[in-house]
Amino acid sequence: MSIDSSVFDYDAALQAVAAGDRHALQRLYQQESRYLLGVALRIVRQRQVAEDILHDAFVNIWTRAAGFDAARGTGRGWIYSVVRHQALNAMRVREREVAADEETVEALLHTNQAHDAGDAFEINASLGQLNDCLAHLDGAKRTSILYAYVDGCSHSEIAARLKAPLGSVKAWIKRGLSALRECMA
């Protein structure tokens, strides 16, 4: 059912999608889905995950088609970049996940239950001190550290969120951690 890619007008299809034409999105899907699935599959190496990525990518294409700019590249290239970025983001999320077998989870639960009230008090006191130390940091350092250690963001993701240079983010984290170590000591 796919049309020869040299005949199919990706730019026009994306413009139609941006205007809310569901049939244009369907034509894009019919034209490229099998190839896009291959792109996602090469990156994530699991068919079910690749299918989910393809679905999410087409939702992105539907919602972000108005952002396509033909002056910056081809429609087909833009579609492939959406799928590629979706797959790479999925890989980043999977890399952050920690797998644990049932025995490990049980051991951790047993260990957590074994803590007495004294340990809980000590933990709460340490968290209170950490909160105080974080409050003494300037905003950029505190925010960078929280993004890194609470949200699990990479340095480049933090730089993008803060709209700051990558080197500055790395320096803020390094100096902020140093200040936290001093404060906590």
Side-chain angles (χ1 to χ4, degrees):
M1 272 261 201
S2 69
I3 302 169
D4 181 15
S5 62
S6 63
V7 176
F8 191 83
D9 189 352
Y10 295 91
D11 295 359
L14 283 171
Q15 288 173 351
V17 169
D21 184 352
R22 292 176 189 263
H23 296 293
L25 185 68
Q26 184 178 9
R27 288 191 306 272
L28 271 174
Y29 184 84
Q30 288 171 343
Q31 178 68 25
E32 290 297 317
S33 63
R34 61 186 166 163
Y35 305 114
L36 293 170
L37 180 62
V39 169
L41 195 54
R42 277 193 298 271
I43 294 171
V44 298
R45 303 200 185 284
Q46 291 180 355
R47 184 164 184 92
Q48 182 61 45
V49 175
E51 288 173 357
D52 291 344
I53 287 168
L54 185 63
H55 173 267
D56 293 345
F58 269 89
V59 169
N60 265 342
I61 290 167
W62 175 254
T63 59
R64 295 180 36 221
F68 167 67
D69 182 7
R72 296 180 65 198
T74 66
R76 188 173 191 207
W78 186 81
I79 294 166
Y80 275 77
S81 70
V82 169
V83 172
R84 182 177 175 275
H85 288 293
Q86 195 80 30
L88 291 173
N89 286 340
M91 289 299 292
R92 284 187 200 108
V93 168
R94 283 178 44 197
E95 287 173 0
R96 289 187 191 141
E97 291 177 355
V98 177
D101 60 2
E102 203 169 313
E103 291 174 11
T104 305
V105 172
E106 287 295 324
L108 287 172
L109 288 174
H110 180 69
T111 302
N112 286 342
Q113 291 170 353
H115 286 293
D116 61 1
D119 289 340
F121 177 76
E122 193 174 305
I123 290 170
N124 284 335
S126 293
L127 288 176
Q129 184 181 5
L130 177 62
N131 246 354
D132 292 340
C133 291
L134 280 169
H136 286 92
L137 293 177
D138 66 62
K141 290 176 187 168
R142 179 178 49 253
T143 303
S144 297
I145 288 171
L146 291 174
Y147 279 152
Y149 292 96
V150 175
D151 292 348
C153 295
S154 68
H155 289 134
S156 56
E157 290 170 333
I158 296 168
R161 284 185 179 189
L162 297 177
K163 295 181 175 80
L166 181 61
S168 297
V169 168
K170 288 180 179 182
W172 292 336
I173 292 173
K174 183 178 179 181
R175 292 181 189 135
L177 288 175
S178 177
L180 282 177
R181 277 188 212 100
E182 279 183 38
C183 182
M184 295 291 290

